């Protein structure tokens, strides 16, 4: 008799068995001839106990075939036969006459072993009803069971962890619930619960389970050779292993059982078996990743295992580069020459500090011959990619050029172009190589950047989007200084093609392009798109996702992240947040060398600096950016964006003269593209606005054009500022309505200075908005900019709020508003 795995009060029934129990409860005296089949731990004993309880509640006698005499048994009694697979042939022969008649009985058994007498019994029962097959718990059933076992709702993800580690096997789930309720992992002591299960197994079955613990579901041929048994015997052993309930339906060990089999097996025996398994799989050309990881986790290594570790690392490189890096390191410790692949895996996994050290060591390593030269070239390429992520594109180009592969030559050209150098790199310096996806995509990336400087934005965008599509099949397996999707998104952002930017980034994320190393960059650029469109909530979510957890943020991503944070704070009028982020943002932009690809964050921070009274703080990088554009011939795509930002900084500082300078620069680019034409026209409106010369129709037209090109927030701000500065009441209302519509808000009432009548002491909805911003420390002008109303209107709202709340002065009003806010705050 097996140990009872569950008690009837904890039984969780599936729909089929629940119906059976309902039928029995409704008619306990009716026909009952039932067989139950399931591996160990699936609840057969618990179900029999439950059924026996139902029968006894209705005074129906129950006979236990293991303990009660069968001769002279009451004809009305129900015969219960648990673990029928363990009965000897004599007992089975004695039961056969009873099953051949009409006696009511319930028989439970494992699918293996199958004695001849049991087969005969089951043949009789199957003529009347097929056996009920008990399966593993679903996640919902596990949750219900855990709820019962813990006496209440399980905390956190306990039920999920129990289900994952138990594989849904009810008996295992019951065993581990208390352990996982006390901590996140199974303890060595808790695994001792499995010793009795393992000690009673056939030695060959234990060896099979131990092999499966290291290698997962193994082919019969591998098991036969490993265990020294013929295939027919292996089939039998697999049936026996499945019947234990420790081996899942896919012939892999249930996770908790895998830990137990590994921990409770003799160490020397385990090491020998796993090493032989690794050698066998390697000789057959099978995958070695699973067994290599098992060996690594168990601390088993050595020169004999280096090839298996190396092969497993190659398998893991795409999906799990961090694991690949560990396996390459283990192979190197065993004497394998894995330096270049180790550096690559480490970089793809996001550990750029270690990757740079490994790569630098390769570049400077002594030795001659093709292998040493190839390793040095590969090391230089890894170092170049790492330096690009750290913003050091000039140094990156130098190492790519030294690497001298076709791919490296293209990446060198790309990095040289965006830093203002000559991109005509001598083709004679590049070694011949196969035309891989990466080689072709790298060449297209360099061509796309060249097109953005010398050609048209449309051609540049098309080339870069095609490069991204070409590289999608390679997905996370390639180490990139930048992804073609990110470059395409940047070109699209500079050209007002936000839909194209969104689409190419979505595809890159789906393909996992560039592994975890590029995932953060793709999210940040997606956040910039949302910010441009005025969707600050979505942009905040993407910023949080990009900066929470994972590997340390590198300088380039840090620059885009801090600028996005500051940009969102500016757009939401969160002045304290701008102040909090300014010091880090300024330090980041000063550390990052200026290049074409960082003009967006530089421009955003220049506007923020003007807003915070720190306009001169970024004079040096702004001057460097302008010099870079001059060296490149002032390419319109990049030139217009920077001058648009600098115009906005001048507007914030009410500097009409400087604004005119940048508007004139934009006018030079006006005929380049539709986007630059929109920017140039809107710039003229801004300059006229600063001098008080406001044409409402022109402003509305230019604001709508800005919104259509993706700059929704900028468009709304232009209309809102024009409304705040015009003396024409009708024009003000039109401009305010335009600003609200461009921000996705409903137009306001025709007389914005009026509020809906409210009882004394209560504030209107608009006054509530003003109150919140007033408490946040914003000025009347800032509140007006945020709500698209005039500062004078804000003043009227504040005066009405004082009257309603009985506040004699501003200080008292603020005190009462704070008190009201604290009373409304949730506990």
């Amino acid at each position: 008799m097996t140990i009872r795995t569950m008690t009837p009060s904890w039984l969780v029934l599936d729909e089929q068995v629940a119906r059976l129990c309902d039928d029995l409860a409704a008619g306990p005296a009716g026909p009952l001839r039932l067989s139950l089949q399931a591996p160990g731990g699936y609840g057969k004993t618990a179900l029999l106990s439950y059924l026996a309880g139902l029968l006894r509640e209705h005074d129906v006698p129950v006979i236990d075939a293991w303990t009660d005499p069968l001769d002279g048994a009451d004809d009305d009694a129900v015969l219960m036969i648990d673990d029928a697979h363990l009965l000897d042939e004599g007992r089975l022969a004695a039961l056969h006459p009873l099953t051949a008649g009409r006696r009511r009985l319930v028989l439970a058994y494992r699918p293996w072993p199958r004695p001849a007498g049991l087969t005969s019994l089951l043949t009789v029962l199957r003529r009347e009803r097929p056996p009920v097959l008990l399966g593993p718990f679903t996640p919902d059933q596990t949750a219900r069971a855990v709820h019962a076992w813990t006496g209440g709702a399980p905390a956190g993800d306990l039920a999920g962890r129990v289900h994952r580690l138990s594989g849904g096997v009810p008996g295992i789930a019951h065993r581990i619930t208390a352990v996982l309720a006390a901590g996140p992992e199974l303890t060595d002591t808790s695994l001792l619960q499995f010793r009795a299960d393992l000690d009673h197994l056939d030695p060959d079955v234990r060896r099979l389970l131990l092999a499966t613990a290291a290698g997962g579901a193994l082919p019969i041929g591998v098991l036969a050779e490993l265990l020294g048994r013929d295939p027919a015997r292996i089939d039998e052993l697999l049936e026996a292993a499945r019947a234990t309930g420790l081996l899942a339906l896919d012939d892999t060990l249930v996770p908790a059982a895998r830990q137990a089999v590994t921990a409770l097996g003799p160490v020397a025996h385990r090491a020998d078996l796993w090493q032989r398994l690794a050698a066998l799989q390697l000789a057959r050309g099978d995958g070695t990743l699973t067994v290599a990881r098992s060996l690594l986790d168990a601390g088993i290594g050595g020169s004999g295992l280096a090839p298996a570790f190396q092969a497993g690392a190659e398998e893991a490189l795409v999906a799990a580069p961090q694991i690949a890096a560990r396996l390459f390191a283990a192979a190197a410790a065993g004497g394998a020459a894995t330096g270049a692949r180790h550096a690559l895996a480490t970089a793809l996994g996001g550990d750029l500090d270690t990757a740079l050290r490994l790569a630098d060591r390769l570049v400077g390593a002594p030795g001659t011959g093709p292998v040493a030269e190839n390793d040095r070239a590969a090391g230089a390429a890894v170092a170049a990619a790492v330096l690009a992520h750290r913003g050091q594109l000039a140094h990156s180009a130098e190492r790519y050029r030294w690497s001298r592969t076709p791919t490296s030559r293209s990446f060198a050209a790309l990095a040289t172009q965006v830093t203002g150098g000559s991109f005509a790199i001598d083709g004679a310096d590049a070694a011949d190589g196969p035309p891989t996806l990466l080689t072709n995509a790298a060449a297209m990336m360099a061509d796309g950047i060249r097109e953005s400087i010398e050609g048209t934005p449309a051609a540049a965008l098309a080339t870069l989007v095609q490069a991204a599509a070409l590289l999608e099949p390679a997905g996370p397996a390639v180490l990139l200084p930048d992804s073609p999707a990110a470059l395409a998104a940047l070109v699209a952002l500079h050209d007002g093609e936000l839909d194209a930017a969104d689409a190419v980034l979505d595809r890159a994320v789906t393909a996992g392009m560039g592994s975890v190393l590029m995932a953060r960059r793709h999210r940040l650029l997606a956040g910039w798109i949302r910010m441009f469109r005025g969707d600050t909530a979505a942009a905040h979510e993407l910023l949080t996702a990009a900066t929470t957890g994972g590997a340390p943020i590198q300088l380039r991503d840090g620059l885009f992240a801090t600028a996005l944070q500051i940009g969102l704070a500016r757009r939401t009028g969160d002045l304290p947040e701008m102040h909090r982020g300014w010091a880090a943002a300024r330090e980041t932009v000063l550390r990052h060398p200026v290049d074409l690809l960082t003009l967006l964050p530089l421009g955003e921070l220049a506007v923020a600096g003007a807003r915070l009274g720190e306009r001169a703080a970024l004079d040096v990088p702004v001057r460097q950016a302008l010099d870079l554009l001059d060296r490149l011939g002032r390419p319109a795509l990049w030139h217009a964006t920077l001058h648009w930002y600098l115009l906005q900084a001048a507007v914030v500082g009410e500097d009409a003269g400087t604004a005119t300078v940048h508007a004139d620069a934009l006018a030079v680019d006006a005929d380049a593209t539709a986007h630059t034409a929109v920017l140039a026209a809107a710039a003229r409106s801004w300059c006229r606005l600063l001098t008080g010369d406001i044409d409402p129709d022109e402003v509305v037209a230019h604001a709508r054009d800005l919104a259509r090109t993706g700059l929704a927030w900028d468009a709304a701000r232009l209309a809102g500022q024009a409304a705040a500065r015009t003396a024409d009441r009708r024009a003000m209302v039109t401009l305010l309505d335009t600003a609200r519509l461009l921000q996705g808000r409903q137009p306001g009432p025709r007389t914005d200075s009026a509020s809906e009548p409210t009882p004394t002491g209560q504030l209107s909805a608009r006054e509530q908005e003003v109150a919140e911003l007033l408490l946040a420390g914003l000025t009347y002008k800032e509140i007006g900019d945020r709500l698209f109303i005039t500062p004078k209107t804000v003043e009227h709202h504040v005066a009405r709020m004082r009257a309603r709340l009985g506040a004699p002065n501003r200080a008292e009003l603020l005190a009462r508003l704070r008190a009201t806010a604290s009373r409304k705050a949730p506990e």
Side-chain angles (χ1 to χ4, degrees), residues 339-562:
R341 303 298 282 172
H342 185 195
L344 172 65
T346 304
L348 287 173
D351 185 0
L352 297 192
D353 288 344
T354 302
L356 191 57
R357 286 196 298 270
L358 292 170
D360 208 46
R361 192 181 306 158
L362 279 171
V363 172
T368 59
V371 174
E373 288 299 320
N374 288 340
D375 280 353
R376 274 195 282 270
V382 171
V386 172
L387 289 170
H389 284 268
R390 292 186 166 181
Q392 300 291 334
L393 282 176
H395 295 298
S396 174
E398 178 185 16
R399 282 160 177 78
Y400 272 130
R401 192 178 295 111
W402 189 86
S403 179
R404 298 184 62 207
T405 67
T407 299
S408 293
R409 177 184 61 179
S410 296
F411 285 149
L414 190 160
T416 303
Q417 291 175 86
V418 299
T419 53
S422 171
F423 53 80
I425 296 179
D426 188 358
D429 290 339
D432 291 334
T436 65
L437 289 177
L438 180 58
T439 299
N440 293 336
M444 293 177 73
M445 290 164 68
D447 287 344
I449 292 300
R450 178 180 54 78
E451 286 281 0
S452 77
I453 296 170
E454 293 186 339
T456 65
L461 182 58
T463 302
L464 292 169
V465 169
Q466 290 166 24
L470 184 65
L471 205 54
E472 281 173 11
V478 291
L479 179 62
L480 301 166
D482 210 339
S483 79
L487 295 177
L490 282 168
V491 168
L493 279 164
H494 280 266
D495 196 36
E497 296 284 353
L498 301 195
D499 288 341
D502 242 346
V504 73
L505 288 175
D506 283 346
R507 291 179 64 90
V509 169
T510 300
M513 186 181 295
S515 190
V516 297
L517 200 56
M518 291 305 309
R520 177 175 280 141
R521 182 152 173 80
H522 293 151
R523 286 196 188 96
L524 288 171
L525 289 172
W528 276 80
I529 295 170
R530 303 304 183 278
M531 182 175 73
F532 272 29
R533 285 175 166 156
D535 189 353
T536 55
H540 269 297
E541 290 178 6
L542 286 163
L543 175 62
T544 301
T547 55
T548 302
I553 299 177
Q554 298 300 315
L555 183 60
R556 182 176 66 190
D557 286 342
L559 175 60
F560 275 82
T562 54

Side-chain angles (χ1 to χ4, degrees), residues 723 729-738 740-741 745-757 764-767 769 787-790 793 797 800:
R729 183 69 183 171
R730 179 172 296 180
M732 181 195 72
V733 172
T734 299
L735 289 164
L736 286 172
D737 283 350
T738 299
R740 293 189 183 100
L741 286 170
R745 304 183 183 189
Q746 292 301 314
R750 303 319 299 171
T751 306
D752 193 78
S753 60
S755 298
E756 292 295 322
S764 69
R766 174 48 58 86
E767 288 167 355
E769 290 181 308
L787 300 179
F788 301 114
I789 57 179
T790 66
T793 301
H797 283 309
R800 261 191 303 276

Side-chain angles (χ1 to χ4, degrees), residues 125-507:
L125 291 175
R126 281 199 181 100
R127 293 185 190 132
E128 303 174 29
R129 173 188 284 185
V132 174
L133 305 178
L134 302 182
F137 278 167
T138 64
D140 180 64
Q141 288 173 322
T142 300
R144 286 157 51 200
V146 170
H147 183 277
W149 296 330
T150 57
D157 64 341
L158 175 60
R161 288 185 288 126
V162 169
H163 187 78
R164 178 178 59 81
L165 286 173
S166 70
V169 178
I172 297 178
H174 183 225
R175 288 182 183 183
I176 66 177
T177 292
V179 181
L180 294 179
E185 302 292 340
L186 296 179
T187 62
D188 290 342
T189 302
S190 68
L191 295 176
L192 293 174
Q193 300 178 76
F194 292 86
R195 183 174 291 283
D197 301 272
L198 299 176
D199 286 347
H200 290 91
L201 294 177
D202 179 291
D204 276 350
V205 174
R206 290 194 65 175
R207 293 172 67 213
L208 182 147
L209 292 178
L210 188 57
T212 305
L218 296 168
I220 288 179
V222 171
L223 288 171
E225 189 169 349
L226 181 67
L227 302 181
R229 300 290 185 266
D230 61 61
R233 172 60 176 161
I234 297 300
D235 274 335
E236 188 177 285
L237 293 175
L238 283 170
E239 289 289 344
R242 295 176 190 126
T244 65
L246 304 177
L247 201 66
L249 299 177
D250 62 355
D251 283 346
T252 61
L253 276 166
V254 170
R258 180 182 183 277
Q259 292 186 40
V261 169
T262 301
L264 300 177
V267 175
H269 179 60
R270 179 185 65 190
D272 175 67
L273 186 70
W274 287 3
Q275 289 184 69
R276 288 194 292 112
L277 174 59
L280 178 60
Q281 288 183 312
L282 193 64
R284 288 168 52 96
D286 295 340
T288 64
L289 174 57
T290 304
V291 68
R293 286 191 64 182
S294 298
L295 289 162
L296 186 65
D297 293 340
I300 302 170
S303 58
L305 289 173
F309 284 136
Q310 189 168 359
E314 294 292 348
E315 287 182 61
L317 189 61
V318 174
Q322 298 95 334
I323 293 170
R326 292 179 58 210
L327 291 171
F328 278 129
T338 63
R341 303 298 282 172
H342 185 195
L344 172 65
T346 304
L348 287 173
D351 185 0
L352 297 192
D353 288 344
T354 302
L356 191 57
R357 286 196 298 270
L358 292 170
D360 208 46
R361 192 181 306 158
L362 279 171
V363 172
T368 59
V371 174
E373 288 299 320
N374 288 340
D375 280 353
R376 274 195 282 270
V382 171
V386 172
L387 289 170
H389 284 268
R390 292 186 166 181
Q392 300 291 334
L393 282 176
H395 295 298
S396 174
E398 178 185 16
R399 282 160 177 78
Y400 272 130
R401 192 178 295 111
W402 189 86
S403 179
R404 298 184 62 207
T405 67
T407 299
S408 293
R409 177 184 61 179
S410 296
F411 285 149
L414 190 160
T416 303
Q417 291 175 86
V418 299
T419 53
S422 171
F423 53 80
I425 296 179
D426 188 358
D429 290 339
D432 291 334
T436 65
L437 289 177
L438 180 58
T439 299
N440 293 336
M444 293 177 73
M445 290 164 68
D447 287 344
I449 292 300
R450 178 180 54 78
E451 286 281 0
S452 77
I453 296 170
E454 293 186 339
T456 65
L461 182 58
T463 302
L464 292 169
V465 169
Q466 290 166 24
L470 184 65
L471 205 54
E472 281 173 11
V478 291
L479 179 62
L480 301 166
D482 210 339
S483 79
L487 295 177
L490 282 168
V491 168
L493 279 164
H494 280 266
D495 196 36
E497 296 284 353
L498 301 195
D499 288 341
D502 242 346
V504 73
L505 288 175
D506 283 346
R507 291 179 64 90

